[in-house]
Amino acid sequence: MVVKSGGVGGAEEGAAAAAVRRWVEAGGGRLVLDGGLATELEAHGADLNDPLWSAKCILSSPHLIRKVHLDYIEAGANIIITASYQATIQGFESKGFSKEQSENLLTKSVEIAHEAREMFLKQHSDQSTPMHRPILVAASIGSYGAYLADGSEYSGDYGEAGTLEFLKDFHRRRLQVLAEARPDLIAFETIPNKLEAQAYVELLEECNISIPSWFSFNSKDGVHVVSGDSLIECATIANSCAKVGAVGINCTPPRFIHSLILTIRKVTDKPILIYPNSGERYDGEKKEWVESTGVSDGDFVSYVSEWCKDGAALIGGCCRTTPNTIRAITRTLNQFCPAP
Ligand SMILES: C[S+](C)CC[C@H](N)C(=O)O
Ligand SMILES: N[C@@H](CCS)C(=O)O
Ligand SMILES: [Zn+2]
């Protein structure tokens, strides 16, 4: 194990973090992530009251997914995250699809994002100034709790089923199929507990995945991940893997982000990413967002320069944030940290 001089030590930074760092540099010192995908699909009329949640649109309305990706790129996003968050082979099979068809649907989620990027680049190809801004596709992998479709990615409580081997078996083929679709990144999102982070690390190594990934945890108290596990321990697991290029937090209220960034920074030198939700609460049983406790786009954006100062290099939004949020984040980052 190589200890990086001057850093927090304990792990080799690795090729994945170096790749993310190069993209961050190409973006002028920071990258803008997209905003909520599922909630934006809903805003366009998609009915996601289904065990597949947003993955249902891979079947029913791929054009809508492509449009939302495109809207986010146009709003300034450097990274768009595919609709595979709740897309699993097991979930598609329970809808009657064969294994092969299910794998094809996973691949399709990456193809849709690639198409959106192509459309954007084509639309801008005749401009006199060439487009230098990085535009990357991150293949989403939601947790086992997301597949359960009852909001348990906000509890991380998997009961008896939650063993390391079970989680590895659950995610293995899906990870391989998504990696074979050649996204630029793999986004392990909304990771609710330590065990699932460990399962992902072991799979990345055992499947020898060469595409850089990020690990993004969620929290509901600003100290722990949602299961109650220690964020320090979770981020340490992510830091231990050279295939992990960035570590961070998503789908967490904005007010908790400052302290969470500082906690992550204690155990890793890898780039930090954050993409909070609007601050509202999700009722997993009713499948709806409750309490209007969310912050407005303006308030969300008032946090952005602080998160930058805290050391976050990749910033965007999660559930209930919109292209307007991303436009406002882009504007703020351009003032605070201008793109090239
Ligand atoms: C990030 S939560 C809002 C995702 C939705 C959840 N897995 C469900 O199906 O209800
Ligand atoms: N990438 C997913 C994350 C849900 S927490 C989405 O935006 O729908
Ligand atoms: Zn979210």
Side-chain angles (χ1 to χ4, degrees), residues 181-239:
R182 308 305 301 167
D184 301 293
L185 287 146
I186 295 174
F188 293 99
E189 301 190 272
T190 330
I191 310 173
N193 60 40
K194 203 166 73 177
L195 196 67
E196 202 149 24
Q198 184 63 35
Y200 291 149
V201 163
E202 293 187 19
L203 284 179
L204 285 170
E205 297 294 352
E206 288 168 21
C207 303
N208 199 18
I209 301 295
S210 59
I211 294 175
S213 67
W214 79 54
F215 276 27
S216 182
F217 300 92
N218 54 338
S219 171
K220 49 192 177 196
D221 63 5
V223 179
H224 306 91
V225 300
V226 290
S227 62
D229 287 346
S230 143
L231 176 61
I232 289 270
E233 287 179 42
C234 289
T236 301
I237 291 169
N239 185 58

Side-chain angles (χ1 to χ4, degrees), residues 115-135:
E115 284 164 18
R117 173 169 63 187
E118 285 314 305
M119 283 166 74
F120 178 80
L121 292 175
K122 198 157 175 253
Q123 281 164 18
H124 291 79
S125 62
D126 50 358
Q127 287 184 352
S128 49
T129 343
M131 181 73 58
H132 285 313
R133 164 185 151 204
I135 301 175

